[in-house]
Amino acid sequence: MYIVKKKIGGADYYYLRKAVRKGKKVRSEFVAYLGKNKQEAEKKAKEMNEKISNINKPEIKQKHMEEKIESKEEIKQKQLTIDELANFCKKKGFVYASGEIYGGLGGFWDFGHLGAELKNNIKKEWWKFHVYRDDMAGIDGSIITNPKVWEASGHVKSFVDVAVVCKKCGNKTKIDKHEVGKKKCEKCNGEFVSKGEFNPMFTTQVGPIKEDSVQAYLRPETAQLIFADFKLVQENSRLQLPFGIAQVGKSFRNELSPREFLFRCREFEQMEIEYFIEEGMKCPYMEETKAVSILVYSEEMQKKNKEPELIEIYDAWKKEIIKTDWHAYWIAKEYEWFLSLGANPNNFRIRQHCSDEKSHYAVDTWDLEYKFPMGWRELQGFANRSNYDLSQHQKYSKQNMEILNKEGKKVLPHVVCEPSLGVERAFLVFMFDSYFYDEKRGNVVLKINSKLAPIKVAIFPIVKQPEYEKIAKDIIEDLRKEFNVLYDKSGSIGRRYARNDEAGTPYCITVDEDSLKKKDVTIRDRDTTKQIRVKISDLRETIRKLINREIEFEKAGKLVETRVK
Ligand code: GAP
């Protein structure tokens, strides 16, 4: 086995790979993700090599590789239940039940001072990664629109679930129409009784005078306004096929049983792309899908009761497991986005929808799934919507939705892939993958990627004296031009570090005696607790480079002895 370094979003990622003979060919296969630090990666690789050589028992061999080689840290992470995460989020100011003082309201959540920052940073990073490309335009449609949009899209007629109650344990849930009579209760395996069909779109009246008002809907997906506005956006942006239109915003679904904290909400946000091509157009970016391996669980594997397989996305496309190049490309891209922001690759897989579970508009759908504490669940959907939506809007609006291709021929584009991600589910992923309990420190350390961290820098004067506070305030004034900075002067330095570890603050700056004389400060790194000394005049640039991973912490200043944690 050997270590491979890959650069993703400017950061180094280390992977363990192995050479496998297949017939006459020797191929390189992914084994595990080793983290971002070279020395730690080498240590992990050594441990894994030892562990794997000890594992020869057949019952263990049958389990998937990534389950065999979890590090201790990952095991700890897994033990955190969704309710424990919800408690942590409430305690630290990330998320509260909406209107909690009145008992909350199922499926609605308020984001506190840290949660709002984290959520905004997720959306900001998503927008930068997906929209700032030559082939993408970003829009912001309204939540309530002409109800005909939802008639055309098929949501009024076909966006329907069946409400069921378990005969044995009384569990209330929703199932798809095709699951009636087949699906058993996931809690006790009991039989379900149907309580009839329901449409999860929220309705509202537009117009204050009842007789004149119109019934409208709160949008259940952001996607539809991308289709309805397609012609205008294309004309104004002058984009040529292939190109995408992206949108981030609120969606609403009157879920029968909102549950599992942020996993299933009634009000949530989506980050969606409709990627338009002329039918048959090849994806020119397939090289980018090489060396990106993920657990793949195709419809065939599910039907034959096979285990998911770890496959390079490029190979999955070449072997026609993933049918279209664009589908494979966007899956690889989205997975890369999560990894570039610190998510743990061992918690991801992709699963193809079986033919009877696809949405009314989809030709083929894959989900990026995440190993939540409650099991593998959908994190992000990738539907091939063909030209269903544009055809429907053309039919209902009587407007021509065709555009000219490069040869000047009119075409009705196809959406061969729609990457659709819920902000709240991404929020959960980043929280789970960065939550660690540090035994030595005796507190939680939220090792969240610095680009996502709600507070980038906390500043502590070591003592509450005017000359120290003056320097701290001057630093804050300068840093606040770019970053969210916290001024924290109460409690021991250890307590202040602990508070900021739990909030995920990557850097803490201490103004001490030397700062008065030498005009420099210490910066403490959250993950290693190492400290460097940096000139106050260089602080803003140093912090910027650290956040963007353009410089290693130890090379950003003079390393100092650490006396306090
Ligand atoms: N435009 C396609 C679409 O909306 P979907 O699979 O229904 O497809 C896409 O939703 C994504 O939106 C999901 O993968 C999930 O991340 C998020 N999502 C859907 N329903 C949600 C809910 N009730 N609560 C939180 N997130 C949700």
Side-chain angles (χ1 to χ4, degrees):
M1 292 205 284
Y2 53 93
I3 299 175
V4 171
K5 182 172 89 175
K6 200 172 175 244
K7 250 201 168 24
I8 302 176
D12 292 336
Y13 286 77
Y14 293 89
Y15 297 90
L16 191 64
R17 299 185 72 88
K18 63 176 178 182
V20 180
R21 176 167 288 284
K22 287 205 174 138
K24 284 183 183 165
K25 288 186 184 159
V26 177
R27 297 197 37 144
S28 161
E29 271 186 12
F30 170 90
V31 177
Y33 170 64
L34 298 172
K36 294 174 217 160
N37 178 290
K38 194 177 171 201
Q39 278 143 9
E40 278 172 25
E42 283 167 353
K43 199 170 139 216
K44 254 188 188 175
K46 198 170 157 229
E47 282 169 15
M48 285 174 186
N49 264 320
E50 282 165 10
K51 215 169 178 184
I52 288 166
S53 54
N54 288 337
I55 299 168
N56 279 320
K57 294 177 195 146
E59 71 274 15
I60 298 174
K61 263 188 175 171
Q62 276 187 7
K63 281 189 158 194
H64 194 269
M65 181 66 82
E66 46 93 39
E67 278 179 12
K68 285 187 272 179
I69 55 182
E70 281 166 342
S71 72
K72 269 188 185 169
E73 277 187 334
E74 281 150 11
I75 290 167
K76 215 174 265 172
Q77 241 171 286
K78 244 180 145 186
Q79 286 166 350
L80 191 73
T81 64
I82 191 98
D83 290 340
E84 282 161 354
L85 182 71
N87 284 339
F88 175 78
C89 284
K90 182 177 168 191
K91 203 174 94 197
K92 293 302 294 180
F94 280 93
V95 186
Y96 319 112
S98 185
E100 219 218 13
I101 54 168
Y102 297 103
L105 186 62
F108 296 92
W109 299 93
D110 294 339
F111 289 78
H113 73 295
L114 296 181
E117 287 290 334
L118 173 55
K119 205 171 171 219
N120 282 341
N121 291 341
I122 292 173
K123 290 187 279 182
K124 205 159 58 191
E125 288 305 317
W126 187 92
W127 193 266
K128 266 202 280 182
F129 186 92
H130 295 90
V131 181
Y132 298 164
R133 313 173 20 134
D134 289 339
D135 60 349
M136 196 70 68
I139 65 161
D140 184 12
S142 68
I143 286 167
I144 297 170
T145 184
N146 192 312
K148 285 203 180 119
V149 166
W150 305 109
E151 282 168 37
S153 69
H155 280 80
V156 172
K157 209 166 131 207
S158 310
F159 191 51
V160 172
D161 289 316
V162 180
V164 287
V165 180
C166 174
K167 272 189 195 172
K168 217 162 135 191
C169 72
N171 175 27
K172 277 189 204 147
T173 187
K174 64 165 190 187
I175 58 171
D176 283 347
K177 275 192 203 171
H178 77 271
E179 293 172 323
V180 176
K182 294 185 208 157
K183 190 158 182 176
K184 293 266 164 61
C185 174
E186 53 195 13
K187 286 193 178 158
C188 70
N189 209 31
E191 260 180 54
F192 281 132
V193 185
S194 168
K195 293 283 169 191
E197 294 183 358
F198 72 103
N199 189 316
M201 280 200 290
F202 280 98
T203 54
T204 186
Q205 296 302 123
V206 178
I209 300 166
K210 210 172 167 200
E211 305 84 76
D212 301 340
S213 68
V214 177
Q215 180 181 281
Y217 305 95
L218 304 196
R219 66 182 179 195
E221 61 169 12
T222 55
Q224 273 322 306
L225 285 175
I226 296 181
F227 294 116
D229 292 342
F230 168 75
K231 265 298 259 292
L232 286 168
V233 179
Q234 192 274 329
E235 277 164 21
N236 295 332
S237 65
R238 299 171 56 240
L239 282 166
Q240 295 247 309
L241 294 170
F243 70 88
I245 303 179
Q247 187 175 194
V248 175
K250 292 266 185 185
S251 289
F252 300 82
R253 292 182 195 175
N254 200 356
E255 298 283 358
L256 181 74
S257 48
R259 61 178 142 197
E260 288 154 344
F261 186 33
L262 296 177
F263 184 81
R264 196 172 301 290
C265 317
R266 287 182 165 135
E267 175 177 339
F268 54 101
E269 284 193 79
Q270 289 185 307
M271 305 186 280
E272 296 198 293
I273 293 172
E274 303 304 326
Y275 201 83
F276 299 95
I277 65 160
E278 182 175 350
E279 208 182 358
M281 223 170 209
K282 298 267 169 286
C283 173
Y285 318 118
M286 290 312 286
E287 280 300 300
E288 293 179 35
T289 66
K290 286 186 176 167
V292 185
S293 300
I294 194 164
L295 275 176
V296 176
Y297 200 21
S298 66
E299 178 171 11
E300 197 190 327
M301 291 171 187
Q302 292 166 65
K303 289 202 167 142
K304 291 187 177 163
N305 277 331
K306 285 189 179 167
E307 287 292 304
E309 274 176 49
L310 196 63
I311 312 181
E312 257 174 20
I313 293 184
Y314 185 84
D315 279 354
W317 165 61
K318 277 281 171 194
K319 289 178 187 161
E320 295 183 9
I321 299 170
I322 302 175
K323 297 285 177 309
T324 74
D325 47 359
W326 289 103
H327 232 137
Y329 166 72
W330 278 109
I331 289 171
K333 215 63 204 153
E334 297 308 288
Y335 180 45
E336 185 192 326
W337 181 74
F338 274 105
L339 298 194
S340 74
L341 291 169
N344 179 352
N346 294 330
N347 290 336
F348 289 79
R349 74 175 187 188
I350 52 168
R351 188 184 73 81
Q352 188 176 25
H353 280 204
C354 293
S355 3
D356 54 3
E357 67 176 300
K358 283 188 290 222
S359 309
H360 64 273
Y361 48 73
V363 179
D364 185 17
T365 301
W366 284 83
D367 283 343
L368 180 65
E369 293 191 331
Y370 179 82
K371 206 190 318 169
F372 286 97
M374 55 279 186
W376 286 103
R377 296 287 170 86
E378 175 184 345
L379 168 62
Q380 179 168 21
F382 298 83
N384 177 344
R385 295 178 81 128
S386 69
N387 63 5
Y388 168 83
D389 301 85
L390 288 183
S391 304
Q392 288 292 102
H393 287 299
Q394 189 161 261
K395 190 167 137 199
Y396 278 71
S397 68
K398 301 194 172 50
Q399 305 267 333
N400 189 335
M401 299 301 264
E402 291 169 316
I403 58 169
L404 297 179
N405 69 7
K406 281 194 181 113
E407 290 77 45
K409 195 178 135 218
K410 278 188 176 176
V411 291
L412 191 65
H414 280 235
V415 166
V416 77
C417 189
E418 176 206 49
S420 171
L421 172 63
V423 178
E424 286 74 6
R425 290 194 192 172
F427 187 104
L428 288 178
V429 165
F430 292 122
M431 288 299 283
F432 276 121
D433 282 353
S434 55
Y435 181 104
F436 295 98
Y437 184 77
D438 189 309
E439 305 265 352
K440 263 203 220 146
R441 296 188 220 183
N443 59 261
V444 170
V445 183
L446 198 66
K447 294 187 178 179
I448 200 145
N449 183 287
S450 45
K451 289 183 189 164
L452 298 181
I455 299 164
K456 305 292 188 227
V457 187
I459 302 192
F460 319 146
I462 203 153
V463 284
K464 280 192 221 167
Q465 284 180 13
E467 59 271 44
Y468 291 81
E469 294 191 48
K470 162 91 176 67
I471 296 179
K473 288 275 166 73
D474 287 347
I475 293 173
I476 288 174
E477 198 186 321
D478 185 50
L479 294 187
R480 280 210 177 128
K481 289 177 185 146
E482 271 184 65
F483 318 110
N484 187 19
V485 181
L486 177 86
Y487 182 53
D488 192 349
K489 62 173 184 177
S490 60
S492 68
I493 287 283
R495 207 40 236 135
R496 286 184 251 178
Y497 281 148
R499 270 203 294 268
N500 281 285
D501 283 347
E502 290 179 344
T505 310
Y507 304 109
C508 291
I509 292 176
T510 306
V511 176
D512 56 20
E513 269 171 41
D514 278 353
S515 310
L516 305 182
K517 293 177 233 150
K518 298 185 190 157
K519 306 241 173 303
D520 62 7
V521 289
T522 60
I523 308 180
R524 179 241 198 203
D525 178 57
R526 175 197 64 202
D527 298 348
T528 60
T529 73
K530 285 183 180 160
Q531 297 190 11
I532 50 173
R533 248 186 129 89
V534 172
K535 285 265 164 241
I536 293 173
S537 53
D538 296 337
L539 260 183
R540 184 134 70 102
E541 197 188 339
T542 306
I543 295 288
R544 185 190 314 121
K545 284 186 177 159
L546 286 171
I547 289 171
N548 294 325
R549 315 243 154 146
E550 288 164 9
I551 191 168
E552 274 176 48
F553 184 75
E554 288 172 39
K555 291 185 183 150
K558 193 163 167 263
L559 207 59
V560 289
E561 274 287 296
T562 315
R563 276 172 295 149
V564 277
K565 62 178 188 167

